[in-house]
Amino acid sequence: TGHPAETLIGRDFAASLIPPPERSTASAALDAVSGGKPLRAFETQVVRVDGTTLWVLWNAQVLPGSSEGASVLAVGQDITAMK
């Protein structure tokens, strides 16, 4: 996306990277993952640092055994060329 990590760490993912029309859906998906429900093949747009968007296919799940609350492993694949 071109966003430096230090501008995103500790910030709300959806508010930082998801276009406004898709934020509530993305936030609900992230909340479900944090609650223990694995996320598979979730598609959403992500805003690049230059303001353009790309399509990303996400898979995510909670990592067991974290001592500091829910730790989530998320893997996103750029599928823009397929759209």
Side-chain angles (χ1 to χ4, degrees):
T1 66
H3 295 276
E6 59 272 7
T7 67
L8 298 174
I9 293 173
R11 299 198 54 204
D12 180 280
F13 170 79
S16 299
L17 294 176
I18 305 297
E22 297 184 34
R23 283 186 190 154
S24 63
T25 303
S27 290
L30 290 172
D31 288 344
V33 171
S34 295
K37 182 179 179 190
L39 180 70
R40 301 290 179 251
F42 179 77
E43 293 182 18
T44 190
Q45 292 185 75
V46 172
V47 180
R48 293 180 174 124
V49 73
D50 67 3
T52 61
T53 59
L54 64 144
W55 281 95
V56 178
L57 177 74
W58 294 100
N59 291 290
Q61 67 186 44
V62 169
L63 293 176
S66 175
S67 62
E68 297 181 21
S71 293
V72 175
L73 172 64
V75 177
Q77 178 183 0
D78 181 353
I79 59 168
T80 306
M82 294 181 217
K83 288 290 189 174

